[in-house]
Amino acid sequence: MPTARPPAAPTYLVVGAGISGLAAAEELLRLQPSAQVTILESTDRVGGKIRGATVAGRSVDVGAEAFLVRRPEALDLIERAGLSDQLVHPTAASAQVWSRGHLHPLPRRTFMGVPAETASLLGLLTQEEVDRVRAETTPTLEAADTSVAELVTQRLGPAVTQRLVEPLLGGVYAGHAELLSARACLPRLLAVAQRGGSLLEAVAAMLPPPTDTAHASAPDPVFATVRGGLHQLPGTLAQRLVAQGVTIVTDTTVREVHLLPAGGYELVTGPRPSPTTYRADQLVLAVPAAPAARLLAHITPEASRLLGTVETASMGVVTLALPSADLGHIPGSGFLVPPVEGRTVKAATFSANKWDWVRETGLGAGPDGTDLTYLRASVGRHREESTLQVSDDDLVAACLTDLGAAMGRRLPSPVDVHVHRWGGALPQYAVGHVDLVASVRAAVDAVPGLGVCGAVFEGVGIPACIGAARRSAAQVLARR
C-alpha cells in the first residue's frame, strides 16, 4: 500500500517586524512549533519604534526606552529572548513638570495626571486651582464615551487638565486631552464618572496609600528596560526566531494582499515591473493603521475604511551628549511640559539620572576620556507637525534653549547629537476608538486566516502591543 504523506506544515506570513510582528511570530511558533513563518519588513531593520543609535561613540536608545511592568507581556517576552538577567529599573530620581517658569515635582499619587488628593498640588497649581479640585463635582456621565478633557475638567477644573493630565498624555500618546478618548485612555475613571462617583476617591483607591517617607520602603518599580538599551530586545528576539526556522526579509514593502480562491494569501512586493510574490495559508498584519487600511482594502473594505480614519501623531527624539564637567548638576529624572506653556520640548529625560546604565555609558566617552551626560528631548504632538518641519540644527537649538530655560542656565555645547523623527508614530485614540477597534476586529474575524495587531488596538505601550500580537496569533491559529 502507498505510504500516506504527512500533512504539510502550515505556513504563515507576518507583515511588519516591529515588536508586534516579532511577538506574533514568536507566539505562532510557541503554539504551533511546526509552523513555517516568514516576516516581511519594509525597512532595513527589525524593531519598529524600538531603535538604538550611536551617539558620541556609545549605543543608546533613540526610540522607546522602557516599558510598564504592571502588565506581564514585556517581562515574559524578555525572558523568552534570554535577556532577563539584563533587566534593570530606573533610579529613585523623580519626574517633574515644567510649568509657569519653574520645575515642580510631579505629584506621586496621580493616575495619568488625575490626583488622589490635593495636598501635593499647591505650587504646581495655584491656591484657587487647588480649591477647585477640592470642590470636585460629581455629575453622572450619560455618554458611553467622551474626551479626557471633558471627563476631567468638568469634575476637577481646567488646571488639572492643562497642568497635569495634558503633560502625561503628551508623553504617552503625543496627543491632546480634548481629542483623546476617555474610554480608551482612562476607562476606569470613565466608569466611575458614569456612576456619578468621585475621581479623587477612585484614584485614591487605585493607588497605594500614602506612606511616612522617613520610614517607607522603596515603592515597586513602574518601569523597566534592558541594560545597554531596550533596542537589544528586537534584535535578540529576531536572532532566536531565525534559529527556530523563521525567515525574516527586510527592505521589502508589501504592495498588495490577495485572498486566493482556494484559500490562503498571496502578497505582492517589489517594483511593479518585476514583482515578487509570497504565499501562505494565513496572514498577520502587524503594521500601523494607514498601511493596514491600504492592504485590507480589497479583503475587508469595512476594516480598511475604519482603520483609514485613525489619525496619528509625529514626534522626534533629540539625544544630546553633553560634557559632564561643564553641565554640572541636573535635577531629577526629567520633566514634562504642559502644551499651554508653548514650548518646543514636550518632555525631557535626564537619561543619566534616570538609568544607571546610561550614566555608566557616559563615563570616559568624551574627548580625552572625559565623562559625558546623555539627555533626551521629545518634541511633537498630534496636529503639530510644524514643530518638526525645521532643520536638525534648528531643532537641536530649540531643545537646548528649552532645556536651559528649565534648568535656569545656558547649557554647554554638545559633544554629539542625534535627531530621529518618527513620522506618524503614535495612533490617536479619538472618542469612540474602543468601538472602532471592536468593529475592525469583527470585520477581520470574518475573513479566514487573517489577523491584525499593533499599537492601534490595545495600547501604544510595548506590553499592550505584545498582548495584541499574541491575541491575534492565537485567533488565527484557532480559525485554521
Side-chain angles (χ1 to χ4, degrees):
M1 295 179 62
T3 303
R5 292 183 179 180
T11 55
Y12 300 87
L13 282 166
V14 177
V15 180
I19 196 62
S20 296
L22 295 174
E26 197 272 344
E27 186 71 358
L28 287 170
L29 280 182
R30 188 185 73 83
L31 296 174
Q32 191 167 51
S34 64
Q36 296 181 7
V37 181
T38 298
I39 304 175
L40 304 178
E41 166 58 36
S42 62
T43 71
D44 62 355
R45 49 175 284 278
V46 302
K49 307 305 183 297
I50 306 175
R51 182 176 187 137
T54 300
V55 185
R58 304 292 172 91
S59 183
V60 294
D61 288 316
V62 296
E65 63 160 3
F67 57 88
L68 284 169
V69 298
R70 67 169 176 258
R71 286 189 61 157
E73 293 93 341
L75 291 171
D76 181 62
L77 192 63
I78 283 173
E79 181 178 358
R80 295 187 194 182
L83 292 172
S84 291
D85 60 337
Q86 299 300 309
L87 198 69
V88 292
H89 299 286
T91 67
S94 56
Q96 302 154 100
V97 178
W98 186 25
S99 180
R100 294 172 171 137
H102 299 281
L103 289 174
H104 304 270
L106 179 66
R108 289 187 177 275
R109 300 194 71 230
T110 62
F111 178 75
M112 196 57 77
V114 180
E117 40 78 26
T118 59
S120 61
L121 300 181
L122 192 59
L124 176 58
L125 304 187
T126 66
Q127 183 63 62
E128 181 181 3
E129 290 166 344
V130 173
D131 290 342
R132 172 63 183 88
V133 178
R134 193 174 288 121
E136 177 186 10
T137 57
T138 57
T140 300
L141 179 66
E142 302 293 342
D145 195 8
T146 189
S147 72
V148 171
E150 179 82 14
L151 171 68
V152 176
T153 302
Q154 186 177 24
R155 285 158 176 75
L156 303 175
V160 170
T161 300
Q162 293 175 353
R163 304 281 170 181
L164 275 166
V165 175
E166 284 277 24
L168 270 295
L169 292 175
V172 176
Y173 300 98
H176 295 284
E178 68 268 19
L179 297 174
L180 288 168
S181 158
R183 188 178 175 195
C185 302
L186 298 174
R188 296 169 69 179
L189 297 188
L190 178 70
V192 169
Q194 289 168 334
R195 299 194 300 268
S198 162
L199 298 189
L200 293 176
E201 292 177 2
V203 174
M206 290 164 53
L207 299 176
T211 56
D212 178 359
T213 56
H215 301 92
S217 58
D220 291 337
V222 177
F223 296 100
T225 193
V226 175
R227 183 183 301 279
L230 191 60
H231 59 272
Q232 296 175 98
L233 173 59
T236 301
L237 184 59
Q239 290 174 1
R240 293 204 166 218
L241 290 172
V242 170
Q244 292 177 273
V246 173
T247 300
I248 300 178
V249 185
T250 57
D251 292 309
T252 301
T253 299
V254 177
R255 292 192 286 106
E256 301 172 20
V257 175
H258 301 287
L259 185 60
L260 299 173
Y265 293 86
E266 180 180 79
L267 276 59
V268 181
T269 72
R272 293 189 183 277
S274 56
T276 300
T277 60
Y278 293 83
R279 288 192 174 191
D281 300 321
Q282 296 177 296
L283 170 66
V284 176
L285 294 181
V287 294
R294 175 175 56 81
L295 295 175
L296 292 173
H298 299 298
I299 298 175
T300 167
E302 178 64 4
S304 173
R305 181 188 68 79
L306 291 169
L307 287 171
T309 68
V310 177
E311 296 186 34
T312 59
S314 298
M315 60 169 296
V317 175
V318 177
T319 304
L320 307 167
L322 302 169
S324 301
D326 297 333
L327 176 63
H329 172 71
I330 51 177
S333 64
F335 58 83
L336 300 168
V337 187
V340 71
E341 293 293 317
R343 295 288 182 170
T344 297
V345 170
K346 69 170 185 177
T349 303
F350 299 156
S351 307
N353 279 6
K354 184 175 180 180
W355 303 103
D356 282 331
W357 79 264
V358 177
R359 176 184 56 79
E360 294 164 1
T361 293
L363 298 179
D368 300 321
T370 55
D371 296 340
L372 297 180
T373 297
Y374 287 93
L375 310 180
R376 284 174 30 137
S378 296
V379 299
R381 290 184 175 90
H382 181 214
R383 298 183 181 176
E384 296 179 4
E385 288 76 11
S386 60
T387 303
L388 299 168
Q389 293 169 351
V390 299
S391 69
D392 284 1
D393 288 345
D394 287 346
L395 196 59
V396 169
C399 289
L400 285 169
T401 297
D402 281 356
L403 291 169
M407 289 187 271
R409 63 184 188 272
R410 182 182 178 87
L411 299 188
S413 296
V415 170
D416 196 11
V417 301
H418 184 277
V419 177
H420 195 93
R421 300 163 194 267
W422 295 102
L426 293 171
Q428 297 300 291
Y429 296 169
V431 174
H433 183 79
V434 173
D435 287 339
L436 179 146
V437 167
S439 296
V440 169
R441 280 182 160 151
V444 168
D445 287 348
V447 182
L450 177 65
V452 291
C453 58
V456 74
F457 290 97
E458 293 184 12
V460 298
I462 291 170
C465 288
I466 297 170
R470 289 178 170 177
R471 171 176 171 171
S472 180
Q475 289 179 329
V476 165
L477 284 170
R479 298 202 308 270
R480 284 190 66 232

